[in-house]
Amino acid sequence: MARIGIFIGTVYGNSQLIAEEAQPLLEAAGHQVELFEEPTLSNWLENSLEIHLIITSTTGQGDFPDSIAGLYNSLRTEHGYQPQRRYGIIALGDSSYSDYCAAGLAFDQLLQEHQAQRIGEVLLVDAQETPLPEEAALPWLQHWITVL
């Protein structure tokens, strides 16, 4: 099975909660999982990681949480082409804002530009519709595990 890194961008803890619920699901499926609460470019580039799962909220005017902003900026400015990289994204946001899930979508766009291979669709979790984001994330994760 795969070694999976979960890269967390959170302000109020919802992304962290989803990551902590994802870990046992992935491990029960036989994967090794490591959580990165303050992810860095060196974490991202670890050769032993086969799959990357980004779980991030959006803050302010479509900004990244501080915990993951540095990783995104490092990938954008210091690292490019990565066709061997396989990833998934869970983006949390609030559809009452024009920049709904902007951080997760920006991450996806960047990785697509780097020709990384997305596994499944990006999950957009709307705080207006799902006050408990794990309720939307867990079914998505269960399906995502089947397509790894």
Side-chain angles (χ1 to χ4, degrees):
M1 294 312 229
R3 183 150 186 273
I4 300 171
I6 301 179
F7 297 80
I8 304 164
T10 194
V11 175
Y12 298 112
N14 289 327
S15 297
Q16 179 76 35
L17 175 65
I18 293 171
E20 289 171 355
E21 292 196 14
Q23 184 173 13
L25 284 176
L26 291 161
E27 289 173 345
H31 302 288
Q32 294 179 344
V33 180
E34 186 170 355
L35 302 181
F36 297 99
E37 297 173 27
E38 297 279 337
T40 64
L41 184 59
S42 63
N43 298 142
W44 183 268
L45 297 175
E46 279 187 31
N47 289 331
S48 62
L49 291 179
E50 299 167 84
I51 299 171
H52 295 63
L53 176 58
I54 299 102
I55 305 175
T56 189
S57 59
T58 299
T59 67
Q61 301 293 320
D63 300 321
F64 288 90
D66 289 343
S67 62
I68 203 166
L71 171 61
Y72 175 81
N73 289 325
S74 293
L75 282 169
R76 189 172 48 78
T77 60
E78 300 172 35
H79 194 68
Y81 187 64
Q82 42 187 327
Q84 77 291 355
R85 194 79 55 211
R86 297 175 63 216
Y87 74 96
I89 295 184
I90 298 175
L92 286 70
D94 184 327
S95 62
S96 67
Y97 293 91
S98 61
D99 52 21
Y100 173 59
C101 291
L105 293 171
F107 230 116
D108 181 53
Q109 181 179 352
L110 178 67
L111 293 172
Q112 288 293 296
E113 289 170 5
H114 290 184
Q115 296 186 2
Q117 302 170 42
R118 186 177 63 226
I119 302 167
E121 296 299 317
V122 174
L123 175 64
L124 303 179
V125 180
D126 186 356
Q128 291 292 314
E129 294 179 11
T130 312
L132 301 173
E134 63 275 14
E135 290 178 357
L138 291 178
W140 182 92
L141 282 161
Q142 290 166 339
H143 173 72
W144 193 69
I145 288 169
T146 68
V147 297
L148 290 179

Coordinates of all heavy atoms in Angstrom, one line a residue, residues 2-72:
A2 N 0.2 2.4 0.0 CA 1.0 3.7 -0.2 C 1.3 4.4 1.1 O 0.7 4.2 2.1 CB 0.1 4.6 -1.1
R3 N 2.3 5.2 1.0 CA 2.7 6.1 2.1 C 2.0 7.5 1.7 O 2.4 8.0 0.7 CB 4.2 6.2 2.3 CG 4.5 7.1 3.4 CD 5.8 6.7 4.1 NE 6.0 7.5 5.3 CZ 6.6 8.7 5.3 NH1 7.0 9.2 4.2 NH2 6.7 9.3 6.5
I4 N 1.2 8.0 2.6 CA 0.4 9.2 2.3 C 0.7 10.3 3.3 O 0.7 10.0 4.5 CB -1.1 8.8 2.3 CG1 -1.5 7.8 1.3 CG2 -2.0 10.1 2.1 CD1 -2.9 7.2 1.5
G5 N 1.0 11.4 2.7 CA 1.2 12.6 3.6 C -0.1 13.5 3.5 O -0.6 13.8 2.4
I6 N -0.6 13.9 4.7 CA -1.7 14.8 4.7 C -1.2 16.2 5.1 O -0.6 16.3 6.2 CB -2.8 14.3 5.7 CG1 -3.3 12.9 5.3 CG2 -4.0 15.3 5.8 CD1 -4.4 12.3 6.2
F7 N -1.4 17.1 4.3 CA -0.9 18.5 4.4 C -2.1 19.4 4.9 O -3.0 19.5 4.1 CB -0.3 19.0 3.1 CG 0.9 18.1 2.8 CD1 0.8 16.9 2.2 CD2 2.2 18.6 3.1 CE1 1.9 16.1 1.9 CE2 3.3 17.8 2.9 CZ 3.2 16.6 2.2
I8 N -2.0 20.0 6.0 CA -3.1 20.6 6.7 C -3.0 22.1 6.7 O -2.0 22.7 7.1 CB -3.3 20.1 8.1 CG1 -3.4 18.6 8.1 CG2 -4.5 20.8 8.8 CD1 -3.2 18.0 9.5
G9 N -4.0 22.8 6.2 CA -4.1 24.3 6.3 C -5.4 24.6 7.1 O -6.5 24.4 6.6
T10 N -5.2 25.1 8.3 CA -6.4 25.3 9.2 C -6.2 26.6 10.0 O -5.1 27.0 10.3 CB -6.6 24.1 10.1 OG1 -7.9 24.2 10.6 CG2 -5.6 24.0 11.1
V11 N -7.3 27.2 10.3 CA -7.4 28.3 11.2 C -8.2 28.0 12.5 O -7.7 28.1 13.6 CB -8.0 29.6 10.6 CG1 -8.2 30.7 11.6 CG2 -7.2 30.0 9.4
Y12 N -9.4 27.4 12.3 CA -10.2 27.1 13.4 C -10.2 25.6 13.7 O -11.0 25.2 14.6 CB -11.7 27.5 13.1 CG -11.7 29.0 12.9 CD1 -12.0 29.6 11.7 CD2 -11.5 29.9 14.0 CE1 -12.1 31.0 11.5 CE2 -11.5 31.3 13.8 CZ -11.8 31.8 12.6 OH -11.9 33.2 12.4
G13 N -9.4 24.8 13.0 CA -9.3 23.4 13.4 C -10.1 22.4 12.6 O -10.0 21.2 12.8
N14 N -10.9 22.9 11.7 CA -11.8 22.0 10.9 C -10.9 21.1 10.0 O -11.2 19.9 9.8 CB -12.8 22.7 10.1 CG -13.9 23.3 11.0 OD1 -14.3 22.7 12.0 ND2 -14.5 24.4 10.6
S15 N -9.9 21.6 9.3 CA -9.1 20.8 8.5 C -8.3 19.8 9.3 O -8.1 18.6 8.9 CB -8.1 21.7 7.7 OG -8.8 22.5 6.8
Q16 N -7.9 20.2 10.4 CA -7.1 19.3 11.3 C -8.1 18.1 11.7 O -7.6 17.0 11.7 CB -6.7 20.1 12.6 CG -5.9 19.2 13.6 CD -4.5 18.9 13.2 OE1 -3.9 19.7 12.5 NE2 -4.1 17.7 13.5
L17 N -9.3 18.4 12.1 CA -10.3 17.4 12.5 C -10.5 16.4 11.4 O -10.5 15.2 11.6 CB -11.6 18.1 12.9 CG -12.7 17.1 13.2 CD1 -12.4 16.3 14.4 CD2 -14.0 17.9 13.3
I18 N -10.6 16.9 10.1 CA -10.8 16.0 9.0 C -9.6 15.1 8.8 O -9.7 13.9 8.6 CB -11.1 16.8 7.7 CG1 -12.5 17.4 7.8 CG2 -11.1 15.9 6.5 CD1 -12.8 18.4 6.7
A19 N -8.4 15.7 8.9 CA -7.2 14.9 8.8 C -7.1 13.9 9.8 O -6.7 12.7 9.5 CB -6.0 15.9 8.9
E20 N -7.4 14.2 11.1 CA -7.4 13.2 12.1 C -8.4 12.1 12.0 O -8.2 11.0 12.4 CB -7.5 13.9 13.5 CG -6.3 14.8 13.8 CD -6.5 15.6 15.1 OE1 -7.6 15.7 15.6 OE2 -5.5 16.3 15.5
E21 N -9.5 12.4 11.3 CA -10.5 11.3 11.0 C -10.1 10.5 9.8 O -10.4 9.4 9.6 CB -11.9 11.9 10.9 CG -12.3 12.5 12.2 CD -13.8 12.7 12.3 OE1 -14.6 12.3 11.4 OE2 -14.2 13.4 13.3
A22 N -9.4 11.2 8.8 CA -8.9 10.5 7.6 C -7.8 9.5 7.9 O -7.8 8.4 7.3 CB -8.4 11.5 6.6
Q23 N -6.9 9.8 8.9 CA -5.8 9.0 9.2 C -6.2 7.5 9.5 O -5.7 6.6 8.8 CB -5.0 9.6 10.3 CG -3.7 8.8 10.5 CD -2.8 9.5 11.5 OE1 -3.1 10.4 12.2 NE2 -1.6 9.0 11.6
P24 N -7.1 7.3 10.4 CA -7.5 5.9 10.7 C -8.2 5.2 9.5 O -8.0 4.0 9.4 CB -8.3 5.9 12.0 CG -8.7 7.4 12.1 CD -7.7 8.2 11.4
L25 N -8.9 5.9 8.8 CA -9.6 5.3 7.6 C -8.5 4.8 6.6 O -8.6 3.7 6.1 CB -10.5 6.3 6.9 CG -11.8 6.7 7.5 CD1 -12.5 7.8 6.7 CD2 -12.7 5.4 7.5
L26 N -7.6 5.7 6.3 CA -6.5 5.3 5.4 C -5.6 4.2 5.9 O -5.3 3.3 5.2 CB -5.6 6.5 5.1 CG -6.3 7.6 4.2 CD1 -5.6 8.9 4.4 CD2 -6.5 7.2 2.8
E27 N -5.3 4.2 7.2 CA -4.5 3.2 7.8 C -5.3 1.8 7.8 O -4.7 0.8 7.6 CB -4.1 3.6 9.2 CG -3.1 4.7 9.2 CD -2.7 5.2 10.6 OE1 -3.5 5.0 11.6 OE2 -1.7 5.9 10.7
A28 N -6.6 1.9 8.0 CA -7.4 0.6 8.0 C -7.4 0.0 6.6 O -7.6 -1.2 6.5 CB -8.8 0.9 8.5
A29 N -7.2 0.8 5.6 CA -7.1 0.3 4.2 C -5.7 -0.1 3.9 O -5.4 -0.5 2.7 CB -7.5 1.4 3.3
G30 N -4.8 -0.1 4.9 CA -3.4 -0.6 4.7 C -2.4 0.5 4.3 O -1.2 0.1 4.1
H31 N -2.7 1.7 4.3 CA -1.8 2.8 4.0 C -1.0 3.3 5.2 O -1.5 3.2 6.3 CB -2.5 4.0 3.3 CG -3.2 3.6 2.1 ND1 -2.6 3.2 0.9 CD2 -4.6 3.4 1.9 CE1 -3.5 2.9 0.0 NE2 -4.7 3.0 0.6
Q32 N 0.2 3.8 5.0 CA 0.9 4.5 6.1 C 0.6 6.0 5.9 O 0.7 6.5 4.8 CB 2.4 4.3 6.0 CG 2.8 2.8 6.2 CD 4.3 2.7 6.0 OE1 5.0 3.5 5.5 NE2 4.8 1.5 6.5
V33 N 0.3 6.7 7.0 CA -0.1 8.1 6.9 C 0.7 8.9 7.9 O 1.0 8.5 9.0 CB -1.6 8.2 7.3 CG1 -2.1 9.6 7.3 CG2 -2.5 7.3 6.4
E34 N 1.1 10.1 7.4 CA 1.8 11.1 8.2 C 1.1 12.4 8.1 O 0.8 12.8 6.9 CB 3.2 11.2 7.8 CG 4.0 12.1 8.7 CD 5.5 12.1 8.5 OE1 6.0 11.3 7.6 OE2 6.2 12.8 9.1
L35 N 0.8 13.0 9.2 CA 0.1 14.4 9.2 C 1.2 15.4 9.3 O 2.1 15.4 10.1 CB -0.8 14.5 10.4 CG -2.0 13.5 10.5 CD1 -2.8 13.8 11.7 CD2 -2.8 13.4 9.3
F36 N 1.0 16.5 8.5 CA 1.9 17.7 8.5 C 1.0 18.9 8.8 O 0.3 19.4 8.0 CB 2.6 17.8 7.1 CG 3.5 16.7 6.8 CD1 3.0 15.7 5.9 CD2 4.7 16.6 7.3 CE1 3.8 14.6 5.6 CE2 5.6 15.5 6.9 CZ 5.1 14.5 6.1
E37 N 1.1 19.3 10.1 CA 0.3 20.4 10.6 C 0.9 21.8 10.2 O 0.2 22.7 10.1 CB 0.2 20.3 12.1 CG -0.6 19.0 12.5 CD -0.6 18.8 14.0 OE1 -0.5 19.8 14.8 OE2 -0.7 17.7 14.4
E38 N 2.2 21.8 10.0 CA 2.9 23.0 9.6 C 3.8 22.6 8.4 O 5.0 22.6 8.5 CB 3.7 23.6 10.7 CG 3.0 24.1 11.9 CD 2.3 25.5 11.7 OE1 2.8 26.3 10.9 OE2 1.4 25.8 12.4
P39 N 3.2 22.2 7.3 CA 3.9 21.6 6.2 C 4.9 22.5 5.5 O 4.7 23.7 5.4 CB 2.9 21.2 5.2 CG 1.7 22.1 5.5 CD 1.7 22.4 6.9
T40 N 6.1 21.9 5.2 CA 7.1 22.7 4.5 C 7.4 22.0 3.1 O 7.0 20.9 2.9 CB 8.4 22.6 5.3 OG1 8.9 21.2 5.4 CG2 8.2 23.2 6.7
L41 N 8.2 22.7 2.3 CA 8.6 22.2 1.0 C 9.4 20.9 1.2 O 9.2 19.9 0.5 CB 9.4 23.2 0.2 CG 9.8 22.8 -1.2 CD1 8.5 22.5 -2.0 CD2 10.6 23.9 -1.8
S42 N 10.2 20.8 2.2 CA 11.0 19.5 2.4 C 10.0 18.4 2.8 O 10.3 17.3 2.4 CB 12.1 19.7 3.5 OG 11.5 20.0 4.7
N43 N 9.0 18.7 3.6 CA 8.0 17.6 3.8 C 7.3 17.2 2.5 O 7.2 16.0 2.3 CB 6.8 18.1 4.7 CG 7.2 18.6 6.1 OD1 6.7 19.5 6.6 ND2 8.2 17.9 6.7
W44 N 7.0 18.1 1.7 CA 6.3 17.8 0.4 C 7.2 17.0 -0.5 O 6.7 16.1 -1.2 CB 6.0 19.1 -0.3 CG 5.2 18.9 -1.6 CD1 5.8 18.9 -2.8 CD2 3.8 18.8 -1.7 NE1 4.8 18.7 -3.8 CE2 3.6 18.7 -3.1 CE3 2.7 18.8 -0.9 CZ2 2.3 18.5 -3.6 CZ3 1.5 18.7 -1.4 CH2 1.2 18.5 -2.7
L45 N 8.5 17.2 -0.4 CA 9.4 16.6 -1.4 C 10.0 15.2 -0.8 O 10.8 14.6 -1.5 CB 10.6 17.5 -1.7 CG 10.2 18.8 -2.4 CD1 11.4 19.7 -2.6 CD2 9.6 18.5 -3.8
E46 N 9.5 14.8 0.4 CA 10.0 13.5 0.9 C 9.8 12.4 -0.1 O 8.7 12.2 -0.6 CB 9.2 13.2 2.2 CG 9.7 13.8 3.4 CD 9.1 13.3 4.7 OE1 8.7 12.2 4.7 OE2 8.9 14.1 5.6
N47 N 10.9 11.8 -0.5 CA 10.8 10.7 -1.5 C 9.9 9.5 -1.1 O 9.4 8.9 -2.0 CB 12.2 10.2 -1.8 CG 13.0 11.2 -2.6 OD1 12.5 12.0 -3.3 ND2 14.3 11.2 -2.4
S48 N 9.8 9.3 0.2 CA 9.0 8.2 0.6 C 7.5 8.4 0.5 O 6.7 7.4 0.5 CB 9.3 7.8 2.1 OG 9.0 8.9 2.9
L49 N 7.0 9.7 0.3 CA 5.6 9.9 0.2 C 5.2 9.6 -1.3 O 5.7 10.1 -2.2 CB 5.3 11.4 0.5 CG 5.4 11.8 1.9 CD1 5.1 13.3 2.1 CD2 4.5 11.0 2.8
E50 N 4.2 8.8 -1.4 CA 3.7 8.4 -2.7 C 2.4 9.2 -3.1 O 2.2 9.4 -4.3 CB 3.3 6.9 -2.7 CG 4.6 6.0 -2.5 CD 4.2 4.6 -2.2 OE1 4.0 3.9 -3.1 OE2 4.1 4.3 -1.0
I51 N 1.7 9.6 -2.1 CA 0.4 10.3 -2.3 C 0.3 11.5 -1.4 O 0.7 11.4 -0.2 CB -0.8 9.4 -2.2 CG1 -0.7 8.3 -3.2 CG2 -2.1 10.2 -2.4 CD1 -1.8 7.2 -3.0
H52 N -0.1 12.6 -1.8 CA -0.3 13.8 -1.0 C -1.8 14.2 -0.9 O -2.5 14.2 -2.0 CB 0.4 15.0 -1.6 CG 1.9 14.8 -1.6 ND1 2.5 13.8 -2.4 CD2 2.9 15.5 -1.0 CE1 3.8 13.9 -2.2 NE2 4.1 14.9 -1.4
L53 N -2.3 14.4 0.3 CA -3.7 14.8 0.5 C -3.6 16.2 1.1 O -3.1 16.4 2.2 CB -4.5 13.9 1.3 CG -5.9 14.3 1.7 CD1 -6.7 14.5 0.4 CD2 -6.5 13.2 2.6
I54 N -4.1 17.2 0.4 CA -4.2 18.6 1.0 C -5.6 18.8 1.5 O -6.6 18.6 0.8 CB -3.9 19.6 -0.1 CG1 -2.5 19.4 -0.7 CG2 -4.0 21.0 0.4 CD1 -2.4 18.7 -2.0
I55 N -5.6 19.2 2.8 CA -6.9 19.6 3.4 C -6.7 21.0 3.9 O -5.9 21.2 4.8 CB -7.2 18.6 4.6 CG1 -7.3 17.2 4.1 CG2 -8.6 19.0 5.1 CD1 -7.5 16.2 5.2
T56 N -7.4 21.9 3.3 CA -7.2 23.3 3.7 C -8.5 24.1 3.6 O -9.4 23.9 2.8 CB -6.1 24.0 2.8 OG1 -5.8 25.3 3.3 CG2 -6.6 24.1 1.3
S57 N -8.6 25.1 4.5 CA -9.6 26.0 4.5 C -9.2 27.3 3.7 O -8.0 27.3 3.3 CB -10.0 26.4 5.9 OG -8.9 26.9 6.6
T58 N -10.1 28.2 3.6 CA -9.8 29.5 3.0 C -10.0 30.6 4.0 O -11.0 30.5 4.7 CB -10.6 29.7 1.7 OG1 -10.3 28.7 0.8 CG2 -10.3 31.1 1.0
T59 N -9.2 31.6 4.1 CA -9.3 32.7 5.0 C -9.4 34.0 4.3 O -9.0 34.1 3.1 CB -8.2 32.7 6.1 OG1 -7.0 33.1 5.4 CG2 -8.0 31.4 6.7
G60 N -9.8 35.0 5.0 CA -9.7 36.4 4.5 C -10.3 36.6 3.1 O -11.5 36.1 2.9
Q61 N -9.6 37.1 2.2 CA -10.0 37.4 0.9 C -9.5 36.3 -0.1 O -8.8 36.5 -1.1 CB -9.5 38.7 0.4 CG -10.0 39.9 1.2 CD -11.5 40.1 1.1 OE1 -12.0 40.0 0.0 NE2 -12.1 40.4 2.2
G62 N -9.8 35.0 0.3 CA -9.3 33.9 -0.5 C -7.9 33.5 -0.2 O -7.2 32.8 -1.0
D63 N -7.4 33.8 1.0 CA -6.1 33.5 1.4 C -5.9 32.1 2.0 O -6.9 31.5 2.4 CB -5.6 34.5 2.5 CG -5.7 36.0 1.9 OD1 -5.3 36.2 0.8 OD2 -6.1 36.9 2.7
F64 N -4.7 31.7 2.1 CA -4.3 30.4 2.7 C -4.2 30.6 4.2 O -3.7 31.7 4.6 CB -3.0 29.9 2.2 CG -3.1 29.4 0.8 CD1 -2.8 30.2 -0.3 CD2 -3.4 28.1 0.5 CE1 -2.9 29.7 -1.6 CE2 -3.5 27.6 -0.7 CZ -3.2 28.4 -1.8
P65 N -4.5 29.6 5.0 CA -4.2 29.7 6.4 C -2.7 29.8 6.6 O -1.9 29.2 5.7 CB -4.7 28.4 7.0 CG -5.8 28.0 6.0 CD -5.3 28.4 4.7
D66 N -2.2 30.4 7.6 CA -0.7 30.6 7.8 C 0.0 29.2 7.8 O 1.1 29.1 7.3 CB -0.5 31.3 9.1 CG -0.8 32.8 9.1 OD1 -1.0 33.3 7.9 OD2 -1.0 33.4 10.1
S67 N -0.7 28.2 8.3 CA 0.0 26.9 8.5 C 0.4 26.3 7.1 O 1.3 25.4 7.1 CB -0.9 26.0 9.3 OG -2.1 25.7 8.6
I68 N -0.3 26.7 6.0 CA 0.0 26.0 4.8 C 0.4 27.1 3.7 O 0.9 26.7 2.6 CB -1.2 25.2 4.3 CG1 -0.7 24.1 3.3 CG2 -2.3 26.1 3.7 CD1 -1.8 23.0 3.0
A69 N 0.3 28.3 4.0 CA 0.7 29.4 3.0 C 2.1 29.3 2.6 O 2.4 29.4 1.4 CB 0.4 30.8 3.6
G70 N 3.1 29.0 3.5 CA 4.5 28.9 3.1 C 4.7 27.7 2.2 O 5.5 27.9 1.2
L71 N 4.0 26.6 2.3 CA 4.2 25.5 1.4 C 3.7 25.9 0.0 O 4.4 25.6 -1.0 CB 3.4 24.3 1.9 CG 3.4 23.1 0.9 CD1 4.7 22.6 0.6 CD2 2.4 22.0 1.5
Y72 N 2.6 26.5 -0.1 CA 2.0 26.9 -1.4 C 3.0 27.8 -2.1 O 3.3 27.6 -3.2 CB 0.7 27.5 -1.2 CG 0.1 28.0 -2.5 CD1 -0.5 27.2 -3.4 CD2 0.3 29.4 -2.8 CE1 -0.9 27.7 -4.7 CE2 -0.2 29.9 -4.1 CZ -0.8 29.0 -5.0 OH -1.2 29.5 -6.2

